[in-house]
Amino acid sequence: MKVEFAPFSLPLQRRLQTASVAQWVFSFLALAQCCIAAFIILFFTRFWLVSALYAAWWFLDREKPRKGGRRIHAIRNSIVWRYMRDYFPITLVKTAELDPRQNYLMGFHPHGVLAAGAFLNFCTEASGFSTLFPGITPHLMMLSLWFRVPFFRDYLMSGGLVSSDKESASYVLHKPEGGNVLAIIVGGAQEALDARPGSYTLLLKNRKGFVRLAIQHGSPLVPVFSFGENDLFEQVRNPKGSWLRQLQHKLQQIMGISLPVFHARGIFQYSFGLMPYRRPICTVVGKPIPVQRKPRPSEEEVDQVHQKYLTELSKLFEEHKAKHNIPEDSHLEFI
């Protein structure tokens, strides 16, 4: 394999962009383990009181990820995220206004390998979410498992991430004053196993829980498609039925997270590594789908709204795909 090295004369701007993405990738691949290790190791040093006090705070604060989290605007507005935005680059496109007197449920597609577009658009202000949607506060759902990691949980909540359970969702959507968005990556960890360049397959055909949730709270559904999300990494071939796919599914059942085997470029060379490719991501927010509130919707009512959601998502994809060099004969496939 021929290794192509990046020139050391890269402008400072590009180096900062690369560094910002590297720290983001690291945060999701290794920072959690480092936080756990630091928490345990401190107990066996003269700084044991730090871990002891944090453990007490953690116990008292344990419900916070289910209660809207605790965002820190200084972190959401950090210049690091603007460098990350420019690395790809990532853009956020609005196609309709959102009324700040209402709460909305956004379905984000596709998951991709590391959900870069979802994180940067909803957990930071780098792409200007608050400017595009004034009066709207975004919350992005993440597996509850990650909020059990000491220190790391606070980093996650600072950007607006909340626990992915029904109680957490209801807390955000039930706020009477409105002005909240709950973003759910509907395909979840399982969809990440099919994230590869040129793939437009969404795990959505039988995923209706988010629709039922929207009906129960009377929250309009907003389809979101992130063009380029699947193009950031190559993934080792893992067709259904293969030993790798079976192993990944087994690990997912045990751990609750999927483990895609992916690669892209390195920090100092372009041929192989865990850094994502510099490929643009354009996250397009569709128009709201009105939903009539009903505490106990029937299966037929859920199916009807779900089908309308699929139709609107497909329409959104078809209207914008030409702008992103997607072939005319490529369409969304729901599995």
Side-chain angles (χ1 to χ4, degrees):
M1 179 178 67
K2 182 180 179 181
V3 178
E4 183 182 352
F5 286 90
F8 284 96
S9 59
L10 281 175
L12 177 60
Q13 192 84 353
R14 287 175 66 88
R15 293 184 186 180
L16 290 172
Q17 292 168 6
T18 302
S20 67
V21 175
Q23 68 83 27
W24 172 75
V25 172
F26 170 78
S27 72
F28 283 96
L29 295 182
L31 185 56
Q33 293 92 323
C34 292
C35 287
I36 294 172
F39 180 75
I40 295 172
I41 291 171
L42 282 173
F43 269 117
F44 299 95
T45 70
R46 59 177 178 170
F47 301 107
W48 62 270
L49 189 59
V50 174
S51 286
L53 290 174
Y54 184 85
W57 160 252
W58 187 6
F59 177 77
L60 295 173
D61 195 54
R62 64 189 182 280
E63 293 298 318
K64 197 62 179 177
R66 296 190 182 95
K67 302 295 183 182
R70 182 174 45 253
R71 65 187 59 234
I72 300 175
H73 293 289
I75 293 180
R76 283 181 57 88
N77 286 283
S78 172
I79 193 173
V80 170
W81 309 128
R82 294 199 290 276
Y83 284 128
M84 177 178 168
R85 173 199 64 196
D86 295 337
Y87 172 90
F88 296 99
I90 295 177
T91 54
L92 181 64
V93 175
K94 177 178 72 173
T95 63
E97 297 292 339
L98 298 185
D99 186 352
R101 294 170 297 180
Q102 283 190 297
N103 296 318
Y104 297 87
L105 195 157
M106 284 185 177
F108 183 93
H109 316 273
H111 184 286
V113 171
L114 293 179
F119 175 82
L120 192 129
N121 287 311
F122 300 127
C123 298
T124 82
E125 286 297 329
S127 58
F129 184 94
S130 296
T131 302
L132 284 174
F133 302 102
I136 303 291
T137 302
H139 303 78
L140 178 64
M141 298 194 91
M142 190 176 190
L143 283 174
S144 303
L145 169 71
W146 296 109
F147 294 95
R148 299 172 190 166
V149 180
F151 305 121
F152 189 61
R153 66 189 292 274
D154 300 283
Y155 165 70
L156 297 176
M157 286 192 291
S158 69
L161 284 156
V162 295
S163 178
S164 60
D165 53 51
K166 190 174 181 180
E167 181 185 349
S168 176
S170 296
Y171 182 88
V172 174
L173 297 177
H174 192 66
K175 291 185 175 181
E177 68 275 13
N180 291 281
V181 157
L182 180 68
I184 301 177
I185 307 177
V186 182
Q190 190 175 342
E191 190 177 82
L193 299 178
D194 290 312
R196 46 179 46 87
S199 173
Y200 307 108
T201 301
L202 303 180
L203 188 61
L204 186 56
K205 190 174 183 179
N206 296 310
R207 299 229 164 171
K208 302 176 184 179
F210 74 105
V211 174
R212 184 181 299 277
L213 189 65
I215 296 174
Q216 289 172 339
H217 291 277
S219 301
L221 282 163
V222 182
V224 179
F225 194 87
S226 195
F227 292 91
E229 194 74 45
N230 282 343
D231 298 337
L232 305 185
F233 298 94
E234 301 288 346
Q235 191 168 169
V236 173
R237 182 172 165 75
N238 60 341
K240 291 179 174 61
S242 65
W243 69 267
L244 177 57
R245 189 61 166 249
Q246 291 175 359
L247 177 61
Q248 289 171 323
H249 276 305
K250 181 64 68 175
L251 290 173
Q252 183 184 345
Q253 291 171 356
I254 296 172
M255 303 168 61
I257 58 175
S258 67
L259 297 171
V261 183
F262 62 91
H263 61 89
R265 53 159 289 190
I267 297 178
F268 300 113
Q269 44 78 27
Y270 297 136
S271 301
F272 188 83
L274 297 179
M275 285 285 292
Y277 293 120
R278 280 181 178 266
R279 293 173 180 170
I281 297 175
C282 181
T283 303
V284 183
V285 179
K287 63 180 182 180
I289 302 170
V291 173
Q292 184 176 359
R293 186 175 183 275
K294 196 166 187 180
R296 292 182 177 84
S298 65
E299 290 298 326
E300 291 75 17
E301 289 169 325
V302 172
D303 288 344
Q304 185 179 10
V305 176
H306 182 261
Q307 185 56 52
K308 187 172 183 181
Y309 181 86
L310 297 183
T311 301
E312 289 298 325
L313 180 60
S314 295
K315 183 179 177 182
L316 182 71
F317 177 81
E318 296 296 329
E319 288 177 350
H320 293 269
K321 68 180 184 181
K323 302 172 187 175
H324 305 285
N325 301 316
I326 297 175
E328 184 63 31
D329 58 352
S330 292
H331 309 284
L332 292 184
E333 178 185 0
F334 303 120
I335 59 173

